[in-house]
Amino acid sequence: MGKATRKSILEYALDIYSVSPDYPWADSPDFAVLRHNDNKKWFGLIMDISPSKIGLQGDKTVDVMNIKCDPLMIGSLIGDEGFYPAYHMNKNYWVTVLLDGSLEMSKVCALLDMSFELTARKTMHNSCALSV
């Protein structure tokens, strides 16, 4: 499946979810929001930011993606290379993923799939049983 980059994530979102990014901020034209087609909730935000924003060294901007995650997984993810506390989002529910090609696409896509599910429209299930 390859390595996770901005381009590969955007292609995955289009192929799997039929979602094209939108770019809602004129002052940040490269910030791409991935949102559900039905409820318009975000399930991913791809940004180019200064590495210092996530505790890295360097002067050149890096591509990262914020995704919603199971809170029980965040602590273990943050311990892995390429995963950081969420930049500019709730750190209890979101994680930042480095998209520099160092992470396996399969791992990042599995987390993006989780984010998609966590932000999907909730359906009401009829839990009442009919008695005879």
Side-chain angles (χ1 to χ4, degrees), residues 37 57 78 126:
N37 290 319
Q57 301 294 315
I78 299 303
N126 186 354

Side-chain angles (χ1 to χ4, degrees), residues 55-72:
L56 297 176
Q57 301 294 315
D59 298 325
K60 189 174 178 177
T61 61
V62 293
D63 283 336
V64 297
M65 177 174 60
N66 283 348
I67 50 176
K68 193 164 190 177
C69 189
D70 181 331
L72 298 175

Side-chain angles (χ1 to χ4, degrees), residues 6-95:
R6 172 188 287 261
K7 181 181 180 207
S8 63
I9 293 295
L10 293 176
E11 288 172 356
Y12 181 83
L14 183 60
D15 290 347
I16 301 302
Y17 302 117
S18 300
V19 168
S20 293
D22 73 63
Y23 300 87
W25 301 287
D27 62 339
S28 299
D30 291 326
F31 282 28
V33 175
L34 299 174
R35 64 176 84 226
H36 288 267
N37 290 319
D38 58 355
N39 67 12
K40 303 302 180 198
K41 286 186 178 181
W42 298 9
F43 64 95
L45 171 61
I46 299 175
M47 306 168 280
D48 58 333
I49 61 172
S50 167
S52 65
K53 303 277 187 192
I54 56 172
L56 297 176
Q57 301 294 315
D59 298 325
K60 189 174 178 177
T61 61
V62 293
D63 283 336
V64 297
M65 177 174 60
N66 283 348
I67 50 176
K68 193 164 190 177
C69 189
D70 181 331
L72 298 175
M73 292 180 62
I74 290 178
S76 62
L77 283 173
I78 299 303
D80 289 348
E81 187 174 331
F83 295 91
Y84 302 90
Y87 170 68
H88 225 298
M89 299 286 271
N90 185 322
K91 291 169 181 38
N92 293 321
Y93 299 97
W94 292 78
V95 65

